[in-house]
Amino acid sequence: MNKKGKLMKIAVCVSQVPDTTTKVKVGSDGKSIDPAGVTYIINPYDEFAVEAALQLKEKNGGETLVVSVGKDSNKEAIKKAYAMGIERGILVKSDAEMDSYTVARNLADVLKDYNPDMVLFGKQSIDYDDSQVGGLVAEMLGIPSVGVVVSLNVDGNKAVCEREIEGGKEVVETSLPAAICCQRGLNNPRYPNLKGIMQAKSKAIEEKQPTYTENKTEVLKMTLPKPKAKGKIVGEDASAAAELVRLLREEAKVI
Amino acid sequence: MSKILAFIESRDNKIKNNGFETASTAVKLGAELGAEVEALLIGSSVSSLAAELGAYGIKKVITAENAELEKYSTTAYTKIVADAVKERGADIVLLSATAMGKDISPRLAAKLEAGLIVDCTEIRTEGGNVIATRPVYAGKAYIEMKVNSAVKIFTLRPNVFKPIHADGVIAETEVMNVQLGDSDFAVKVKEVVVSNEKLDVTEANIVVSGGRGLKAPENFHLVEDLAKVLGGAAGASRAIVDAGWRPHSEQVGQTGKTVAPSLYIAVGISGAIQHLAGMSSSKCIVAINKDKDAPIFQIADYGIIGDAVEIMPVLTEEFKKVLSN
Ligand SMILES: Cc1cc2nc3c(=O)[nH]c(=O)nc-3n(C[C@H](O)[C@H](O)[C@H](O)COP(=O)(O)OP(=O)(O)OC[C@H]3O[C@@H](n4cnc5c(N)ncnc54)[C@H](O)[C@@H]3O)c2cc1C
Ligand SMILES: Nc1ncnc2c1ncn2[C@@H]1O[C@H](COP(=O)(O)O)[C@@H](O)[C@H]1O
């Protein structure tokens, strides 16, 4: 329960992204990937966020909401959250290309109405690796945020988190409501059981129109990294070590 | 005319390499755009650091000093950077894509209603516009982007941009007036837990990483020994982190850390796409693997095919010999 003795309202934001094993090809617009043959999944970090939401609910009592902004196919990510145990879902439906700012504005508008005690995000979406949306939404809602969280303890109207930084961890305290961006290590996302999966299939998803569509950034072009020239195999066993060290010093000049 | 503000990260009143990289990039961009450049330092006693920025060509340093700012606070730091951007009339803001820069930049973007491009690996100007290049899909592709809002924010991937020394520049400092209330510290760092004083993989110029090919956890010292000789950091593949050989803080890859050292040595690592995601922008890659068809050889500049457990001690000795000369 939160400070007012009320049940917690917990929101989690999820995106739908190409599977990590996707072979990236540039699409015909020259600015984004060719979607042909790509399998889409819930953003892996968002599973940690869903799990964190469910654990908070189980511990403190409360209700859970999942929100996604994007195409009709984002319903699959919402259904995955349903199958894991989230109760209610909203899709802000749009086929337009949206940058992180625009996605965040739409999420913030939905969340303003919902007025949650806690909003959970993944650390980053594995498509554009932006790590932006959590911080943007938090600032738009005027609530604190903690990124790259690997442990989370909610106690009344505050939370203590550990977050990863260079060379260690920060122990961070925040007041609630707050936004938390989840990193691997925070928890082990549960596997949905068959009943959950079956129920998720027929459960309704509320749809909303976007409230904001004007991007702040623009992609000019997408390119693939230049294929590397074939490397040099220096040898087949420990006898090659001296030659490798020589090459690193004299040819690559890195030591 | 443009004005650039570079937020320079400091922890415990020290600037690390990422700060000098950001300072130099701001100076370079300023010269190309004919823009004024100012650097911002936040902390408990940071004014003494201004001279260090002068050595990288920064002529003006704004300092925000306050005992309460000794430890990082997302909310307080963001407020100060946003206020500085407004007071100084900056329209281009640079930060490092470090844990701190990644934490501040999105909130800053929302406060300033600005577009943000994160983790840039290249920044150039074209007809007065700033064009940034950044990796996406874990480095499997790159995109060129620009910002269309009035204020433009960029974060720079550490270890990619070169710090460039400038002689004879003395940085002038100006103290910024900061007024912070309790609500500005809604998020506050209570404590920093340093992982056994070891150099972090993201900050090392040389990274030696081990994978399941090391065969047993007691062989990991082979990787640590070499890292030590090279003054670098030891990293790990997810396979051995999951197996409990190494802590997650050492994991390199998509769900671990992203590194771009000048030398990356992969020992007994197959080179799965998720591992490559964290290290493929390293300048020189060496692979040691007993399987000549391991995918790591496709991105390696140099390789030895063979048993890592036999090769590593010899290799470490060879490095020692050469480095003591
Ligand atoms: C969503 C997702 C995220 C992931 N994130 C990451 C990540 O962040 N980082 C990461 O590393 N992985 C990640 N992975 C896992 C990745 O797919 C691989 O499973 C992992 O990188 C394999 O680790 P490895 O190379 O140590 O082990 P293996 O794939 O088992 O490879 C061991 C290698 O050692 C070689 N070898 C064996 N014996 C010897 C010997 N005596 N001498 C020399 N070589 C030897 C073998 O030829 C082989 O190439 C992720 C996977 C998924 C699905
Ligand atoms: N389109 C979206 N809809 C809902 N949540 C999103 C969306 N995009 C990103 N998020 C959330 O924001 C986090 C960070 O995403 P990003 O800033 O895109 O790297 C993700 O892990 C999600 O929790």
Side-chain angles (χ1 to χ4, degrees):
Chain A
M1 269 186 281
N2 70 7
K3 55 181 182 246
K4 295 163 216 119
K6 279 191 322 198
L7 296 178
M8 262 186 122
K9 287 175 98 175
I10 306 153
V12 40
C13 299
V14 301
S15 62
Q16 174 88 343
V17 296
D19 176 6
T20 56
T21 56
T22 302
K23 280 240 173 336
V24 169
K25 278 189 264 135
V26 179
S28 55
D29 66 353
K31 296 178 185 182
S32 59
I33 66 163
D34 180 353
V38 175
T39 321
Y40 288 83
I41 55 167
I42 184 172
N43 181 37
Y45 293 105
D46 300 353
E47 293 190 29
F48 303 119
V50 171
E51 178 62 36
L54 294 170
Q55 288 185 13
L56 279 174
K57 184 195 150 187
E58 284 155 5
K59 220 170 140 201
N60 303 287
E63 56 175 65
T64 51
L65 168 75
V66 54
V67 191
S68 190
V69 178
K71 300 192 174 65
D72 201 54
S73 50
N74 282 35
K75 283 182 179 161
E76 291 309 313
I78 294 177
K79 283 187 185 158
K80 174 82 197 232
Y82 276 170
M84 288 172 75
I86 301 287
E87 294 143 336
R88 193 183 146 202
I90 296 176
L91 172 69
V92 179
K93 198 168 146 183
S94 168
D95 286 334
E97 277 304 321
M98 288 188 180
D99 68 5
S100 288
Y101 191 95
T102 304
V103 167
R105 271 288 287 268
N106 282 290
L107 287 171
D109 284 341
V110 171
L111 293 170
K112 245 177 233 151
D113 293 337
Y114 184 64
N115 199 18
D117 298 294
M118 180 75 99
V119 191
L120 295 144
F121 297 88
K123 176 189 83 156
Q124 70 191 60
S125 308
I126 62 158
D127 47 4
Y128 277 47
D129 301 320
D130 250 358
S131 299
Q132 285 198 37
V133 170
L136 281 164
V137 170
E139 185 65 43
M140 288 165 181
L141 294 174
I143 63 173
S145 55
V146 190
V148 208
V149 169
V150 289
S151 92
L152 169 65
N153 272 300
V154 173
D155 180 12
N157 61 355
K158 64 173 206 216
V160 177
C161 318
E162 284 183 325
R163 70 181 218 101
E164 285 182 348
I165 60 164
E166 295 81 9
K169 281 178 192 164
E170 277 175 347
V171 182
V172 181
E173 190 180 284
T174 177
S175 57
L176 295 191
I180 302 290
C181 308
C182 306
Q183 160 72 320
R184 194 173 103 90
L186 176 63
N187 53 38
N188 292 310
R190 64 195 67 187
Y191 289 103
N193 57 26
L194 197 60
K195 189 168 152 237
I197 296 169
M198 292 315 289
Q199 280 175 347
K201 278 202 176 127
S202 53
K203 196 166 184 164
I205 295 170
E206 295 161 50
E207 287 185 23
K208 292 200 167 177
Q209 293 298 314
T211 47
Y212 186 88
T213 51
E214 188 197 324
N215 289 338
K216 303 261 181 217
T217 58
E218 186 182 333
V219 176
L220 303 171
K221 76 172 180 209
M222 176 179 272
T223 51
L224 298 183
K226 285 180 210 85
K228 262 194 133 165
K230 192 109 186 79
K232 216 180 255 180
I233 298 297
V234 185
E236 305 260 311
D237 54 33
S239 64
E243 175 64 0
L244 173 63
V245 173
R246 188 192 69 79
L247 287 166
L248 291 175
R249 167 151 273 195
E250 290 169 17
E251 192 176 88
K253 299 188 170 64
V254 286
I255 55 158
Chain B
M1 205 182 75
S2 272
K3 182 160 181 175
I4 301 172
L5 185 76
F7 167 72
I8 306 299
E9 171 173 335
S10 59
R11 283 186 187 265
D12 301 322
N13 293 321
K14 275 200 265 317
I15 302 175
K16 289 199 176 167
N17 253 347
N18 68 67
F20 303 126
E21 291 162 16
T22 305
S24 288
T25 308
V27 170
K28 184 165 172 273
L29 209 55
E32 282 177 36
L33 292 169
E36 219 181 307
V37 178
E38 296 180 345
L40 172 66
L41 285 167
I42 303 178
S44 60
S45 59
V46 285
S47 46
S48 58
L49 302 175
E52 291 182 34
L53 295 176
Y56 291 92
I58 295 282
K59 297 195 183 106
K60 180 140 197 178
V61 177
I62 314 298
T63 59
E65 275 187 338
N66 182 328
E68 282 185 302
L69 295 170
E70 178 171 351
K71 288 219 174 73
Y72 174 64
S73 157
T74 306
T75 34
Y77 274 50
T78 308
K79 177 177 194 289
I80 295 170
V81 183
D83 286 349
V85 172
K86 284 186 229 157
E87 279 171 28
R88 312 305 305 179
D91 60 345
I92 295 174
V93 188
L94 300 187
L95 305 93
S96 299
T98 51
M100 193 188 287
K102 284 183 183 169
D103 202 46
I104 294 175
S105 53
R107 296 196 69 113
L108 185 67
K111 263 196 197 307
L112 301 171
E113 296 183 22
L116 161 64
I117 303 180
V118 300
D119 214 18
C120 302
T121 51
E122 209 184 297
I123 284 196
R124 63 187 172 85
T125 55
E126 197 179 281
N129 273 319
V130 180
I131 314 275
T133 304
R134 56 169 305 236
V136 289
Y137 295 96
K140 285 188 263 183
Y142 284 83
I143 50 176
E144 276 190 12
M145 294 181 81
K146 72 179 171 85
V147 183
N148 292 329
S149 53
V151 176
K152 303 167 172 63
I153 310 175
F154 304 88
T155 68
L156 312 178
R157 180 176 278 203
N159 263 331
V160 173
F161 294 84
K162 282 216 163 45
I164 302 160
H165 275 281
D167 288 331
V169 178
I170 308 280
E172 176 199 336
T173 55
E174 189 172 324
V175 178
M176 183 177 162
N177 181 19
V178 289
Q179 265 153 359
L180 298 164
D182 279 353
S183 64
D184 295 315
F185 289 95
V187 192
K188 198 171 174 171
V189 172
K190 304 301 269 182
E191 190 191 344
V192 176
V193 186
V194 178
S195 36
N196 14 316
E197 308 289 332
K198 269 190 293 191
L199 182 63
D200 193 66
V201 283
T202 57
E203 293 184 328
N205 199 30
I206 295 180
V207 176
V208 187
S209 289
R212 194 143 48 188
L214 286 167
K215 295 198 263 201
E218 51 283 12
N219 289 331
F220 194 77
H221 75 91
L222 296 172
V223 164
E224 285 177 308
D225 292 348
L226 179 56
K228 197 162 161 213
V229 165
L230 295 172
S237 73
R238 171 159 160 189
I240 69 168
V241 170
D242 283 353
W245 300 9
R246 304 306 303 167
H248 182 246
S249 58
E250 287 177 6
Q251 183 179 316
V252 172
Q254 186 165 60
T255 35
K257 291 182 174 159
T258 304
V259 301
S262 51
L263 174 61
Y264 187 90
I265 304 181
V267 184
I269 293 179
S270 58
I273 188 79
Q274 298 91 353
H275 188 80
L276 303 188
M279 46 66 73
S280 59
S281 48
S282 306
K283 271 135 247 158
C284 178
I285 298 169
V286 172
I288 298 171
N289 196 303
K290 70 169 188 194
D291 173 10
K292 69 172 184 6
D293 296 320
I296 190 76
F297 285 122
Q298 282 166 21
I299 66 151
D301 300 284
Y302 300 100
I304 299 181
I305 299 165
D307 184 349
V309 181
E310 279 171 25
I311 296 166
M312 287 298 281
V314 183
L315 184 61
T316 304
E317 279 314 307
E318 289 297 335
F319 273 115
K320 254 193 215 160
K321 261 194 245 164
V322 169
L323 292 171
S324 62
N325 277 337

